[in-house]
Amino acid sequence: MIDKKAADALKTVPLSNNTVCLRIDDKAVDIVDQVVEKLKLSGIFALQLDESTDVSREAQLIAFVRYRDISEINEHILFCKKLTGSTIGKDVFHVIDTFFSELNLDWKSCIHVCTDGAASMTGRVKGLIAHIKEVNPDVQWNHCINHREALAMALSTKRLLELRNEGKDTHILNMYDKVCGFMKKIKLWESKCEDGDTSCLQQLNSYLSASDVDSRDVPIRLNSEFNHYFPDIESKSAKLDWVRKPFITESTDNNIPTRLQENLLDVSSDRGLKMRYSETNLSQFWWDVEKEYPYLGKHALNELLPFGSTYLCEVTFSSMAVIKSKHRNRLSLEKSMIAAVATLPPRLTKLMSERQGQVSH
C-alpha cells in the first residue's frame, strides 16, 4: 500500500507503552507456562525462595526452581510476586500456594526448599516451612549456605572469610566441599595463632603489631563459632560420597540402601561409564548412568537437585533495583522480572500466531 521509503519511515516510529507492556506480558506468561510444563514432566523439583523490598517499599517474593529436563538439570525463575499482606510465613505460603493452585502444580512434587534463616521462613509453628510440611510432610529444607557464611563472617575479621563465587548451576555437593575445605583452613589458622603466628589473619595481625598484646593471649575460637552455623556439614557431605565418587566409594557403605550398593558395584565394573565420568560433569554422568541403571541414576540425580543457597534470588534482586527505579516506581514487577532475567526464550511463533488470531476475530 505504501512505498519502501514510507515503510522505512514507519519502522522508526516507537511502539506505544501499552504495546510494549503487552509484549512483555505475553513473553513472561509463555516462559512461565514452559517452565511449569517442564516441572510437570519432571515430576519433582526444588525451590529457592527469598523476599526483599523494592524502591517503593513493597515486599517482593522471588522463587527459582530446579528440575530435571530432557537430558540435564536446569534452573529457572518461577515467579516474582508482591506480598500484599505481611511477610510472615502464612502470607508467604499463601502466595506460593495460590500460584501452585492456578497452574496445577502439586506440592508433593516439591522435594526441597532453600531459604534464609529468618523466623518467617523457618519457624516451627508459623514459619513458611511449617506450612509447607502440612501439605507435604516429606519436603526437605536447607538454610542458604551463603547466609550462614555471612553470619559466621560477622563474628570474625574481614580476612576470615571471603565468599566464593557460587553462581548458576552449582549443585549442593560443590558447596559442601567448599565449606568443608574452609573449615580445615580454620583449624590450621587456630593452630598457627596458638603458636603466636597471626599472619593468616591480616587485620588481627596488624592490630597486634601495633599493640602490646601477646598474640598467644588472644583467644581464637574460629572453629567453634563456624561450627555453630555448620554443625553437620561434614556428615551431610560424607553421606553423598557415593554420588560424588561412585567408583571409589566402598559398596558396603551403610548410608545407602542395599539395592543402590549393588548397582554401584555394577557401575564400578563398567569401563565405559568410568571413562565418561572423567570426561563430563557430575550431572551429565548420572544422566548416562540412569539409562542403564534407572534406580541408581534417579536417586543420584535427586541428590543433585536441591539448591544450596538463595544466590539466584539475590542476583535477581539486584536486577530488580535497576528495573524498578525511583523514576519507574509504579512499575509492576511480576511479569517484567520474568522477561528480564529468564534464560528460557519465549515461543515467538506461537505468540505471533495467537496475536494474529485475536486481531482477525
Side-chain angles (χ1 to χ4, degrees):
M1 295 178 62
I2 57 177
D3 59 24
K4 185 177 184 303
K5 183 178 180 180
D8 290 339
L10 284 175
K11 290 179 182 180
T12 65
V13 178
L15 297 173
S16 69
N17 289 339
N18 288 342
T19 300
V20 173
C21 288
L22 283 173
R23 291 187 176 183
I24 290 174
D25 289 354
D26 286 347
K27 290 179 180 180
V29 169
D30 180 68
I31 289 168
V32 172
D33 285 345
Q34 290 185 67
V35 174
V36 170
E37 288 173 10
K38 291 177 180 294
L39 296 184
K40 292 176 180 178
L41 287 173
S42 172
I44 59 171
F45 57 88
L47 276 178
Q48 174 187 140
L49 299 164
D50 205 355
E51 60 90 13
S52 184
T53 303
D54 64 26
V55 69
S56 300
R57 304 184 69 179
E58 293 178 333
Q60 304 286 347
L61 178 68
I62 288 180
F64 274 79
V65 66
R66 180 177 281 167
Y67 55 92
R68 295 182 54 179
D69 210 336
I70 297 173
S71 61
E72 58 187 342
I73 292 177
N74 280 331
E75 54 197 20
H76 202 279
I77 188 170
L78 185 61
F79 64 74
C80 174
K81 296 285 187 180
K82 183 171 70 173
L83 292 170
T84 54
S86 67
T87 57
I88 63 175
K90 179 179 69 174
D91 293 332
V92 174
F93 174 78
H94 176 71
V95 169
I96 306 170
D97 189 53
T98 300
F99 178 87
F100 277 23
S101 297
E102 291 174 350
L103 295 173
N104 296 315
L105 285 173
D106 189 350
W107 272 112
K108 297 290 185 182
S109 299
C110 179
I111 64 169
H112 195 279
V113 178
C114 181
T115 70
D116 62 20
S120 61
M121 295 290 184
T122 63
R124 293 185 179 181
V125 178
K126 298 182 179 180
L128 169 65
I129 303 303
H131 286 285
I132 294 177
K133 283 186 174 292
E134 289 180 2
V135 293
N136 181 6
D138 297 325
V139 71
Q140 299 295 311
W141 170 76
N142 182 52
H143 182 184
C144 168
I145 286 180
N146 285 353
H147 279 83
R148 283 188 276 174
E149 285 180 332
L151 289 169
M153 182 171 59
L155 298 174
S156 55
T157 69
K158 183 179 179 181
R159 174 61 176 166
L160 172 60
L161 180 64
E162 296 176 357
L163 292 176
R164 296 172 181 267
N165 292 326
E166 180 245 325
K168 185 179 181 296
D169 295 326
T170 300
H171 52 70
I172 199 166
L173 272 68
N174 292 136
M175 305 191 76
Y176 283 164
D177 288 344
K178 290 178 181 179
V179 173
C180 289
F182 182 76
M183 292 175 78
K184 292 178 180 178
K185 288 182 182 179
I186 287 179
K187 292 179 181 179
L188 170 65
W189 296 343
E190 283 193 350
S191 175
K192 292 291 185 181
C193 290
E194 288 173 0
D195 294 335
D197 179 5
T198 58
S199 59
C200 52
L201 303 176
Q202 292 180 359
Q203 288 190 337
L204 177 61
N205 189 53
S206 297
Y207 168 75
L208 293 175
S209 299
S211 68
D212 295 329
V213 180
D214 190 326
S215 61
R216 286 166 289 192
D217 294 332
V218 178
I220 305 295
R221 302 187 182 91
L222 304 181
N223 190 48
S224 61
E225 294 290 354
F226 205 79
N227 269 302
H228 172 72
Y229 293 100
F230 298 91
D232 54 359
I233 196 77
E234 289 196 36
S235 61
K236 283 185 176 180
S237 182
K239 288 179 180 178
L240 295 175
D241 278 349
W242 69 273
V243 179
R244 185 185 289 105
K245 303 171 183 177
F247 294 99
I248 63 174
T249 301
E250 291 293 333
S251 61
T252 55
D253 189 341
N254 292 323
N255 289 325
I256 60 176
T258 302
R259 185 176 175 187
L260 289 180
Q261 294 179 35
E262 292 172 348
N263 281 179
L264 279 172
L265 287 173
D266 290 332
V267 169
S268 68
S269 302
D270 192 318
R271 292 184 176 275
L273 285 175
K274 186 173 290 188
M275 293 177 62
R276 183 65 174 155
Y277 177 77
S278 63
E279 297 171 350
T280 189
N281 63 48
L282 201 57
S283 298
Q284 286 294 330
F285 166 76
W286 283 111
W287 276 106
D288 290 340
V289 171
E290 189 182 36
K291 296 173 185 176
E292 297 184 49
Y293 307 96
Y295 180 76
L296 178 66
K298 176 183 177 180
H299 277 72
L301 288 168
N302 287 356
E303 296 290 357
L304 294 173
L305 202 59
F307 287 106
S309 77
T310 57
Y311 173 86
L312 294 175
C313 290
E314 298 294 338
V315 171
T316 305
F317 287 135
S318 297
S319 299
M320 181 177 74
V322 175
I323 294 171
K324 188 173 183 178
S325 65
K326 65 180 181 180
H327 301 295
R328 296 193 296 266
N329 57 12
R330 297 177 62 185
L331 180 68
S332 173
L333 287 170
E334 181 171 342
K335 294 184 174 65
S336 300
M337 289 299 295
I338 299 293
V341 306
T343 54
L344 193 65
R347 295 169 292 193
L348 295 179
T349 302
K350 175 178 176 292
L351 293 176
M352 291 172 62
S353 175
E354 290 175 351
R355 279 294 175 191
Q356 290 172 355
Q358 292 171 5
V359 172
S360 63
H361 286 86

